[in-house]
Amino acid sequence: MLGKNAKLFFCGSMGVLVAAIAMAAWGFPKIVQSQINKNLQLENSSTMFEKWRVVPVPLTFKIYVFNVTNTDEVNEGAKPALDEIGPFVYKEYREKRILGYGENDTIRYMLKKTFYFDEEASAPLTQDDEVTVINYSYMAALLTVNDLMPAAVGLVNTALGSFFTNLTDPFMRVKVRDLFFDGIFLNCIGENSALSLVCGKIKADKQPNMRPAEDGSGFYFSMFNYLNTTESGPYDMVRGIENIHELGHIVGFDGAPTMRYWGDPYCGQLNGSDGSIFPPLNQIVPDRVYIFEPEICRSMSVGLVGERNIFNISSYLYEIDESVLASKLANRNNKCFCKKNWSANHDGCLLMGLINLAPCRGAPAIASLPHFYLGSEELLEYFEEGVKPEKEKHESFVYLDATTGVVIKGLQRIQFNIELRNMKSVPQLEKVPTGVFPLLWIEEGAEIPAELRQELHQAHTLLGYVEALRWAILGLAILLSLASGWCASRATGVGLCARQHNSVSFIGNNFDLNKG
Ligand SMILES: *[C@@H]1O[C@H](CO)[C@@H](O)[C@H](O)[C@H]1NC(C)=O
Ligand SMILES: *[C@@H]1O[C@H](CO)[C@@H](O)[C@H](O)[C@H]1NC(C)=O
Ligand SMILES: *[C@@H]1O[C@H](CO)[C@@H](O)[C@H](O)[C@H]1NC(C)=O
Ligand SMILES: *[C@@H]1O[C@H](CO)[C@@H](O)[C@H](O)[C@H]1NC(C)=O
Ligand SMILES: *[C@@H]1O[C@H](CO)[C@@H](O)[C@H](O)[C@H]1NC(C)=O
Ligand SMILES: *[C@@H]1O[C@H](CO)[C@@H](O)[C@H](O)[C@H]1NC(C)=O
Ligand SMILES: *[C@@H]1O[C@H](CO)[C@@H](O)[C@H](O)[C@H]1NC(C)=O
Ligand SMILES: *[C@@H]1O[C@H](CO)[C@@H](O)[C@H](O)[C@H]1NC(C)=O
Ligand SMILES: *[C@@H]1O[C@H](CO)[C@@H](O)[C@H](O)[C@H]1NC(C)=O
């Protein structure tokens, strides 16, 4: 009778062992995972949703501008000497306006950014500081005309005299306030066919940097005003309810599933998220994560560097690397980004490290990383001084929480340049050296708010407990089966065997990570 009982206990506890192994290996992680996922996906009951919709703390938007210190010498053909001035710091608020929900688990929204100058963080610099920079809109107009009808450049330049007052050289002396946001007035009133050509082109291209004056007399040129006044989008983003690994992927922009500017299905791909949200990383840690940048009309990517501890949170670090900006020789796929002949030596492609924005902006602008970091050495030879790439100061990176994929810290940096080109038919450009001339660079930085950091800490701690519990249950089950095995063989010890019942009752617990 006792022996029969012990056998029963033995069989029972073997069953418990199997169940415990199954729970430890599969059940627990699954339950925890589904709790995490629930809080990440873009549904209005989830923890992340409101933080995603209205970013709770402002991002830091820093601008560094290149002051040209030897304009007279450059006008005579010398190498430019630049002096970086900055940062001019702005607070950037981001808010999404939800337009609705689409097919295939998507949400559609418009993104609104608002910028406010941060006097304290910028001190001693102010928005009224004056700098000497390359005359961006002037070069843009001349380069555009030069492309359309090279023979007319001289003529157009004369006409530009009335468009740009005081045209003595390709540089301008401006207050940074006007250059960044307020705008520099460009006059379009005048009896002149070349002038109306340039003004007509600006109007037709709807260049984002050109804000039409209210009275129609011309345009205001500024680098970032359009970011502050217009919403971008609409974006279609995957909500991650059906498949959490697709969370945050942008599958549509401006109503289309690809960017049409590059005229190529590969380069037009919308890859990755808007940089604010990523899928959880605890099952799949990708080698590369993509971020779609509407400002430069393409997706960029950062590569996995490794595991790092930041703010005491274990996370994965991703950094920008050469493959993204590589010339087409190094990365054949990048060929479709080569849309413009920069010079005969370069076969339609810009030098390594440069992104041609002409197809995207309607103006012959060129983007790069600050100080041409990861760019061709050749770019640096153009300068006398003031351009010196350094990884720490000029790269882009993002730290993602190792479990949830939440952005712990991220910095994104872009420099805007334009070509300074020697043109014999234009007196102002007769002697200048030809090269890619930087205007300014920006750094957009985000950091996890303290409150969310707290929640992540709690989640990680809880996960630690759950992990410990997994092994504890497994260990207990093994102990019990050993004990009952011993019971069966010795046909004694009912007292010992009777204790096995509550071993599985933990499993019913709900591991709620939602503390917010
Ligand atoms: C939550 O989202 C649904 C769509 O999934 C929407 O119909 C509903 O109005 C939202 N509820 C609130 C309170 O915003
Ligand atoms: C920029 O350089 C010019 C000389 O070219 C100088 O007069 C001016 O003060 C500089 N601006 C700042 C903000 O340092
Ligand atoms: C949704 O997915 C299906 C199948 O993958 C596809 O045929 C359809 O075009 C998608 N709808 C949208 C709006 O993208
Ligand atoms: C951005 O726009 C807001 C109004 O929408 C304005 O108050 C603010 O001054 C603007 N920021 C800058 C830097 O011009
Ligand atoms: C043009 O240059 C003159 C002298 O260099 C200066 O006094 C005048 O203010 C300038 N005009 C404009 C509109 O910049
Ligand atoms: C540069 O262009 C601005 C207009 O964008 C014009 O007012 C200024 O006179 C130009 N500067 C020079 C030195 O030609
Ligand atoms: C888009 O992502 C795929 C992998 O998901 C990658 O192979 C491709 O190179 C990316 N395209 C661009 C333009 O970055
Ligand atoms: C980091 O976290 C560990 C436990 O996760 C804690 O013991 C330690 O005090 C924390 N350190 C700091 C500086 O917060
Ligand atoms: C670029 O220019 C070179 C010579 O000027 C020419 O041979 C080549 O076909 C051009 N490439 C493109 C893409 O226009």
Side-chain angles (χ1 to χ4, degrees):
M1 172 107 175
L2 263 178
K4 207 176 166 193
N5 247 349
K7 248 180 208 157
L8 206 64
F9 282 133
F10 178 67
C11 293
S13 55
M14 281 324 264
V16 169
L17 178 64
V18 170
I21 290 173
M23 275 325 276
W26 179 84
F28 264 17
K30 197 86 181 163
I31 292 164
V32 171
Q33 193 56 48
S34 82
Q35 282 300 324
I36 291 176
N37 293 354
K38 270 218 179 67
N39 287 314
L40 292 175
Q41 61 204 17
L42 295 175
E43 199 180 29
N44 44 17
S45 63
S46 85
T47 316
M48 288 306 292
F49 185 78
E50 265 310 295
K51 298 185 175 79
W52 170 82
R53 196 180 68 79
V54 181
V55 179
V57 292
L59 283 76
T60 335
F61 184 82
K62 295 183 181 171
I63 309 176
Y64 296 82
V65 56
F66 288 101
N67 200 12
V68 188
T69 56
N70 65 343
T71 51
D72 292 344
E73 288 84 352
V74 176
N75 288 328
E76 293 302 318
K79 290 180 170 186
L82 306 179
D83 179 23
E84 179 185 288
I85 297 176
F88 295 91
V89 186
Y90 291 80
K91 286 196 169 112
E92 176 186 333
Y93 292 85
R94 286 191 179 187
E95 187 169 339
K96 296 176 174 100
R97 186 161 59 87
I98 311 297
L99 298 178
Y101 297 86
E103 259 182 76
N104 298 347
D105 192 23
T106 57
I107 184 167
R108 172 170 285 200
Y109 64 89
M110 301 291 290
L111 174 62
K112 176 90 179 77
K113 300 178 177 178
T114 313
F115 297 84
Y116 296 99
F117 188 63
D118 186 341
E119 280 177 30
E120 224 169 276
S122 306
L125 298 172
T126 71
Q127 290 194 101
D128 291 318
D129 287 353
E130 287 202 13
V131 289
T132 305
V133 292
I134 179 131
N135 209 332
Y136 197 81
S137 47
Y138 174 63
M139 279 316 300
L142 283 186
L143 290 170
T144 307
V145 173
N146 192 50
D147 273 0
L148 295 176
M149 38 184 145
V153 169
L155 205 106
V156 167
N157 186 56
T158 320
L160 286 172
S162 52
F163 186 43
F164 304 100
T165 42
N166 279 2
L167 264 184
T168 53
D169 66 8
F171 299 101
M172 57 182 175
R173 287 92 194 153
V174 286
K175 286 188 174 165
V176 296
R177 171 200 298 284
D178 295 329
L179 176 63
F180 298 165
F181 286 100
D182 287 5
I184 302 158
F185 184 65
L186 309 176
N187 173 42
C188 274
I189 302 290
E191 293 299 312
N192 191 313
S193 57
L195 181 61
S196 46
L197 175 91
V198 172
C199 287
K201 177 99 176 81
I202 292 175
K203 202 167 175 184
D205 286 349
K206 293 207 178 66
Q207 294 175 16
N209 298 114
M210 296 288 187
R211 172 167 49 100
E214 269 129 40
D215 58 5
S217 61
F219 296 89
Y220 286 93
F221 166 83
S222 69
M223 289 301 291
F224 306 114
N225 186 66
Y226 74 100
L227 291 178
N228 197 32
T229 51
T230 50
E231 291 180 321
S232 67
Y235 298 80
D236 293 308
M237 181 182 270
V238 179
R239 299 165 69 197
I241 295 169
E242 286 165 17
N243 178 0
I244 192 74
H245 298 297
E246 292 280 306
L247 173 70
H249 284 184
I250 291 179
V251 292
F253 180 71
D254 208 4
T258 56
M259 295 296 267
R260 64 203 130 75
Y261 304 100
W262 306 103
D264 181 280
Y266 177 83
C267 285
Q269 280 174 347
L270 302 176
N271 265 355
S273 79
D274 64 355
S276 66
I277 187 165
F278 294 92
L281 293 178
N282 55 352
Q283 286 168 346
I284 302 169
V285 181
D287 286 341
R288 191 159 279 285
V289 301
Y290 290 87
I291 300 168
F292 169 62
E293 317 270 8
E295 262 108 73
I296 56 172
C297 307
R298 60 171 283 187
S299 288
M300 302 279 278
S301 65
V302 281
L304 179 63
V305 178
E307 245 182 304
R308 295 286 186 280
N309 199 307
I310 179 167
F311 302 135
N312 212 9
I313 297 174
S314 78
S315 54
Y316 289 102
L317 170 60
Y318 289 85
E319 277 178 356
I320 195 155
D321 54 40
E322 270 162 348
S323 68
V324 184
L325 298 171
S327 66
K328 77 156 203 265
L329 283 178
N331 183 352
R332 292 198 66 74
N333 286 332
N334 283 352
K335 180 157 176 21
C336 45
F337 291 116
C338 306
K339 289 292 267 189
K340 210 39 149 312
N341 247 348
W342 180 51
S343 80
N345 318 343
H346 290 292
D347 181 30
C349 275
L350 296 179
L351 287 177
M352 181 165 120
L354 300 179
I355 303 169
N356 180 10
L357 295 185
C360 148
R361 291 289 196 98
I366 295 171
S368 67
L369 292 178
H371 291 242
F372 304 110
Y373 173 62
L374 298 183
S376 163
E377 292 276 319
E378 212 177 318
L379 293 162
L380 305 179
E381 285 163 16
Y382 180 60
F383 302 97
E384 179 69 40
E385 61 178 21
V387 179
K388 190 162 166 279
E390 282 173 50
K391 181 168 191 273
E392 267 63 47
K393 289 187 192 160
H394 304 138
E395 67 165 346
S396 294
F397 61 81
V398 63
Y399 288 89
L400 302 180
D401 178 67
T403 310
T404 59
V406 168
V407 177
I408 309 289
K409 183 185 167 101
L411 277 189
Q412 182 184 342
R413 294 163 168 146
I414 296 181
Q415 175 170 297
F416 294 98
N417 315 278
I418 196 153
E419 188 189 344
L420 178 61
R421 190 186 295 177
N422 185 299
M423 296 184 198
K424 294 293 177 220
S425 55
V426 177
Q428 290 88 337
L429 302 177
E430 217 180 334
K431 293 185 192 144
V432 298
T434 296
V436 177
F437 209 104
L439 171 63
L440 52 78
W441 61 274
I442 57 173
E443 174 188 299
E444 233 170 355
E447 225 173 75
I448 188 173
E451 165 209 358
L452 194 55
R453 202 186 302 165
Q454 201 63 40
E455 282 176 32
L456 273 183
H457 263 304
Q458 286 167 359
H460 280 259
T461 312
L462 196 62
L463 280 175
Y465 291 152
V466 169
E467 195 63 19
L469 203 58
R470 266 172 85 180
W471 298 114
I473 288 179
L474 199 58
L476 200 62
I478 291 171
L479 273 182
L480 280 172
S481 25
L482 286 180
S484 58
W486 183 75
C487 289
S489 63
R490 298 292 295 264
T492 56
V494 185
L496 185 72
C497 297
R499 289 179 51 183
Q500 70 196 23
H501 282 300
N502 48 5
S503 58
V504 262
S505 68
F506 295 94
I507 295 156
N509 281 3
N510 188 7
F511 299 100
D512 192 1
L513 301 182
N514 181 2
K515 299 273 167 174

